Amino acid sequence: MALIAALMLVWLMVAIVVSVLIRNIGFQPSAWFFLSTEYSIYYLTLLGTPWLIRMKGQVHIELLTSLLSPLLLQIVSRTVALLATLICIVLAWKGLDLMMVNIERQDYDVRAFFVPKWVLTVVFPISFTAMAIEFSRFIFGKDIIHSGEAGINE
């Protein structure tokens, strides 16, 4: 998923450069450029987040966790991971429900092109399930999310 997100990031760069070049020579770029970059931003965010969680790249306030004792840090960090896992499970479930409704209703995203909405919502259950798995590693594994040292990752 992170590789797909990385490829989409490359596509964003190429599409923006090509779109600007086309505009500068006096033509109108295809609406597909705009639509594909918009979808790419959305997809790369959701597809790249599980990898970001695995690498402990999510944002958190280290100033507070640096004041905790090692035992309390373990408890707080695992509780945060538990809450994040539960939230991701709920979002995956709701995303699956939304995707199924989109398929059932045959909803379309109508802009420059008609795109089935399930193409957009299919990424919710996949990504949030992967995020829940990654957060759950910090509940049950040896490693925790928080380092307990302020400024160590700057």
Side-chain angles (χ1 to χ4, degrees):
M1 289 169 48
L3 179 62
I4 293 169
L7 292 172
M8 288 182 175
L9 191 58
V10 171
W11 166 247
L12 278 169
M13 180 197 67
V14 169
I16 291 169
V17 168
V18 169
S19 181
V20 169
L21 287 174
I22 290 171
R23 284 180 196 271
N24 283 338
I25 60 174
F27 295 103
Q28 182 67 28
S30 168
W32 184 80
F33 276 109
F34 179 74
L35 193 63
S36 69
T37 56
E38 190 175 288
Y39 287 175
S40 292
I41 291 170
Y42 164 74
Y43 271 100
L44 78 88
T45 301
L46 286 171
L47 293 175
T49 303
W51 174 81
L52 188 68
I53 294 167
R54 177 173 284 228
M55 297 293 120
K56 294 198 258 184
Q58 68 277 4
V59 175
H60 60 272
I61 301 171
E62 293 176 329
L63 185 61
L64 176 64
T65 58
S66 68
L67 300 173
L68 301 176
S69 68
L71 177 62
L72 196 53
L73 177 64
Q74 287 277 331
I75 293 168
V76 167
S77 189
R78 292 185 193 282
T79 302
V80 167
L82 175 65
L83 291 173
T85 301
L86 293 174
I87 290 168
C88 287
I89 289 169
V90 169
L91 290 173
W93 179 259
K94 296 304 281 180
L96 179 63
D97 184 47
L98 177 62
M99 184 191 73
M100 298 307 286
V101 167
N102 291 151
I103 291 170
E104 181 182 311
R105 291 183 185 168
Q106 298 180 356
D107 290 336
Y108 283 89
D109 182 29
V110 181
R111 292 188 231 179
F113 301 100
F114 288 86
V115 178
K117 276 220 177 146
W118 69 265
V119 171
L120 295 171
T121 56
V122 70
V123 74
F124 284 136
I126 295 168
S127 294
F128 282 108
T129 298
M131 287 181 223
I133 291 167
E134 291 300 328
F135 275 123
S136 69
R137 292 175 55 245
F138 296 113
I139 300 169
F140 304 109
K142 269 182 13 181
D143 202 9
I144 59 173
I145 294 174
H146 305 93
S147 67
E149 298 176 15
I152 194 73
N153 294 319
E154 292 180 10

